[in-house]
Amino acid sequence: MTQHTDLLLPGTLWDRIRERTDHALETGALQPIPTECEVVPDEGIDFQVRVAPSLDQKIAEMRAQREKEAAGERFDPFARPEPDLYLGSLTPSHYALLNKFPVLEHHLLIVTWGYEDQQTLLTHPDFTAVDVVLSEVDGLVFFNAGPTAGASQPHKHLQLVPLPLSDGASRLPVDALLEPDRLPEKPTRAPGLPFPHAACRVDFRHQTSEQLAEVFYELRRELGIWYEDAPYNLLATRHWMMLVPRARERFEGLMINALGFAGGFLVRNRDDLEQLRSIGPMRVLRGVSE
């Protein structure tokens, strides 16, 4: 493995994220997607739904990239990280990069230096990088295992968004039913959540990266997810970890990634918002995971 000499010093990640964000906004390298946020209550969760009229452009770029890859013209934006978005190495195997098109402020990508496919299972080195990030930033780490789970890039990467997801919210919307304080340390199904999942309590302050990787293994075992390219979403905070199997990328035309299971949706326009209200966010989550 190539050794990278630009490892971020302990305790500097949050300052580095803010400094690089300001710089990338000035240079135009960072292109935030403007949104309006509305709350859509459903089955005990106040879902945060963000309407992004410019999302169609991002979707068109994703489709164009997939078409090129299907024609044998693979382009990997993570092979040479864009300098204005690059923060530095988190570990010898992973680096930190700002999401070029963030919906949420300070959205961070946790990327493998060497190419690994997004559908390969998470490993101990992945959780070492997660441990570094969550030790310094109180946030939600999530992983979309392949296109069926909402991944838009084939190069393996996890993501982090700082908490809270919106002003005035002290916790994630899903916490209302997940009830993290009541979760056991062994994988279980939270009684209030109606979609397939396994969840358990963790403590990133006192658990090693090896132990976190073992928790992931136990969640997989609970759900029977054994094969390498199984689609799933992983969500983790400093206090809990949850795994959700995926059956399909979208439901009734609405595309979902891991953030949906945290209680956050992104839609293209008001028509999509009204469709989501009509169907119900929880039914959409069941529809992509059952």
Side-chain angles (χ1 to χ4, degrees):
M1 179 183 297
T2 302
Q3 294 298 313
H4 299 279
T5 59
D6 61 343
L7 283 172
L8 293 168
L9 295 174
T12 64
L13 178 58
W14 181 238
D15 286 341
R16 180 67 171 158
I17 290 172
R18 291 186 297 178
E19 176 273 323
R20 212 61 189 160
T21 295
D22 291 342
H23 170 78
L25 286 171
E26 290 177 2
T27 64
L30 193 65
Q31 300 176 32
I33 298 176
T35 63
E36 296 178 3
C37 185
E38 294 204 13
V39 174
V40 178
D42 188 35
E43 297 188 35
I45 291 182
D46 287 336
F47 287 91
Q48 297 176 14
V49 183
R50 288 173 171 79
V51 183
S54 62
L55 187 60
D56 280 333
Q57 179 183 351
K58 179 73 166 81
I59 293 173
E61 291 176 3
M62 289 165 49
R63 287 176 178 165
Q65 180 178 328
R66 287 185 183 179
E67 289 173 1
K68 287 183 179 180
E69 290 173 356
E73 301 177 30
R74 170 173 284 188
F75 170 69
D76 181 2
F78 298 150
R80 292 187 177 88
E82 193 170 340
D84 286 341
L85 303 175
Y86 176 71
L87 281 76
S89 293
L90 296 165
T91 67
S93 60
H94 290 71
Y95 68 85
L97 187 74
L98 294 177
N99 184 352
K100 185 175 182 67
F101 302 103
V103 170
L104 298 168
E105 191 176 20
H106 302 135
H107 185 164
L108 190 69
L109 306 181
I110 306 164
V111 187
T112 58
W113 270 115
Y115 181 83
E116 297 179 37
D117 192 274
Q118 185 71 3
Q119 286 197 243
T120 58
L121 289 171
L122 295 172
T123 61
H124 173 218
D126 295 313
F127 283 99
T128 300
V130 169
D131 195 18
V132 169
V133 170
L134 279 180
S135 295
E136 301 198 26
V137 181
D138 184 11
L140 170 71
V141 167
F142 61 96
F143 181 70
N144 306 313
T148 301
S152 60
Q153 296 293 342
H155 185 141
K156 192 187 215 182
H157 63 288
L158 299 100
Q159 304 182 56
L160 173 135
V161 288
L163 296 177
L165 296 185
S166 65
D167 294 338
S170 60
R171 60 182 184 174
L172 286 164
V174 73
D175 286 351
L177 297 182
L178 184 62
E179 297 186 294
D181 293 340
R182 296 188 178 186
L183 281 176
E185 294 181 356
K186 293 295 183 180
T188 188
R189 178 164 179 161
L193 291 178
F195 52 80
H197 70 280
C200 63
R201 179 161 43 90
V202 296
D203 186 348
F204 271 78
R205 295 170 301 172
H206 300 113
Q207 288 178 279
T208 66
S209 53
E210 291 94 338
Q211 290 171 322
L212 296 173
E214 178 63 22
V215 170
F216 171 64
Y217 172 82
E218 291 178 357
L219 292 171
R220 287 171 47 215
R221 181 169 57 189
E222 179 73 13
L223 292 171
I225 296 177
W226 297 115
Y227 54 98
E228 178 78 4
D229 58 352
Y232 62 88
N233 292 122
L234 177 74
L235 300 89
T237 72
R238 289 176 170 178
H239 308 293
W240 54 263
M241 193 182 294
M242 179 167 68
L243 194 66
V244 181
R246 290 294 296 269
R248 54 195 60 85
E249 179 185 19
R250 61 186 71 224
F251 182 78
E252 300 290 337
L254 298 169
M255 189 167 64
I256 306 300
N257 69 9
L259 280 174
F261 297 98
F265 278 74
L266 179 65
V267 297
R268 297 171 298 177
N269 49 48
R270 291 276 161 183
D271 289 341
D272 282 356
L273 174 62
E274 292 311 312
Q275 182 185 11
L276 180 62
R277 287 188 199 275
S278 175
I279 297 171
M282 201 69 84
R283 185 181 169 207
V284 172
L285 296 182
R286 289 195 295 265
V288 297
S289 57
E290 295 178 341

